[in-house]
Amino acid sequence: MFEEKTAPDHVIAIHFSGKMTGEDIQQYKKILEGKLEKHGQLSLLIDFTGLSDMNANAFIEGSKADLEFLGHIDRFSRCAFVSDKEWPQALIDFIGPVLPTLEMKVFTPEQGDKAMNWVSELPEAPTADSPAFRFIPTSRDDVFAFEINGMISAEEMPGVIKEFEGFLERHDKVRLLNRMRHFGGIDPAVFMQGGLVSMKLAAMQKVERYAIVGAPGWMRKIIESINPAFADMDMRTFSKDKEQDAWEWLEAAPAGEAAR
């Protein structure tokens, strides 16, 4: 069952209970579309108290709604989940690190008023002070190396995409090194930029070795779990103090600086 909750006009506040249906999701989408037309900055509160199940159509419509939400995620400041289950917190723990501009919290059903007060506030969205990407010259023309230090912003991505696409066009097979000094997340607007998907598809066809140095623990687990799915690309993670091993595995070296 679907219910729209009373909230400030810039807040989408909804309650799913009982068995969620595709019609419930469609009602939510209508509210989302209306709010997007009226406000530049929004927040979202979803109350799952009493939700017991969902039908197949709800799953399909929910997937579509998720994609639409992601398409406008740069318009959202805060997202509150009200639930007595553990999975909303697990979801936040998983996606939170890559969506730093979206504040997310879980509240118990008894904290419903607190959740509404928190999500109704409009904090200033964080901005990146300087580019997170820095390209590293290498000893081999077919090895592309870069450093990430901070939050990856939408403003810098067109230049990164252009540089990397030019590199891919010059080679049949390539190797990559990603040095992660500090990963501050990704501006959600990055995911909607043109050229990003085609760049990733081209990379999947040409990258034979990809070394990631200094990745945080949660990212290492993801990389290690998906690596077997890429038969033609070998991805390996290295700790920060093992960067020299990463360069040796790529059979290359940084040009103009010492390996760390």
Side-chain angles (χ1 to χ4, degrees), residues 47-251:
D47 188 344
F48 292 108
T49 304
L51 180 66
S52 58
D53 196 5
M54 66 166 60
N55 63 24
N57 196 32
F59 180 80
I60 295 171
E61 292 296 326
S63 299
K64 295 178 182 177
D66 289 343
L67 289 174
E68 185 169 352
F69 175 74
L70 288 172
H72 301 283
I73 200 168
D74 58 318
R75 304 268 298 275
F76 285 82
S77 303
R78 290 182 170 179
C79 181
F81 298 104
V82 178
S83 176
D84 55 359
K85 304 295 192 297
E86 295 182 358
W87 67 263
Q89 186 60 55
L91 176 66
I92 289 176
D93 292 342
F94 181 72
I95 67 173
V98 297
L99 297 175
T101 61
L102 178 64
E103 294 185 69
M104 294 179 285
K105 284 187 178 182
V106 177
F107 299 84
T108 65
E110 294 75 25
Q111 296 175 313
D113 291 341
K114 184 177 180 180
M116 183 64 75
N117 290 335
W118 178 78
V119 83
S120 298
E121 297 174 359
L122 280 174
E124 289 189 15
T127 57
D129 295 326
S130 58
F133 269 92
R134 181 176 72 86
F135 300 114
I136 303 171
T138 72
S139 61
R140 287 180 49 161
D141 188 54
D142 62 345
V143 174
F144 187 90
F146 57 96
E147 178 179 274
I148 294 177
N149 185 22
M151 186 181 79
I152 300 173
S153 68
E155 290 75 19
E156 66 188 301
M157 278 308 295
V160 172
I161 292 172
K162 182 178 179 180
E163 184 78 15
F164 189 55
E165 285 183 334
F167 168 74
L168 291 175
E169 288 175 359
R170 297 194 300 268
H171 304 282
D172 293 327
K173 291 293 181 182
V174 299
R175 299 180 180 186
L176 308 179
L177 182 135
N178 176 358
R179 176 197 291 160
M180 308 195 80
R181 286 184 60 191
H182 167 65
F183 179 66
I186 304 174
D187 183 340
V190 167
F191 299 111
M192 306 310 298
Q193 291 193 349
L196 185 62
V197 173
S198 60
M199 181 187 74
K200 289 183 176 181
L201 291 173
M204 290 174 60
Q205 297 173 354
K206 293 192 174 186
V207 176
E208 57 183 8
R209 292 187 183 184
Y210 184 11
I212 303 97
V213 179
W218 64 268
M219 188 180 294
R220 289 199 304 271
K221 292 179 180 178
I222 293 175
I223 293 169
E224 291 166 1
S225 64
I226 67 173
N227 190 32
F230 297 93
D232 298 325
M233 178 171 61
D234 189 4
M235 292 184 289
R236 296 189 187 182
T237 60
F238 298 82
S239 60
K240 290 182 179 180
D241 61 340
K242 297 293 184 182
E243 181 173 330
Q244 181 60 44
D245 293 345
W247 285 107
E248 291 177 358
W249 179 60
L250 296 175
E251 301 176 323

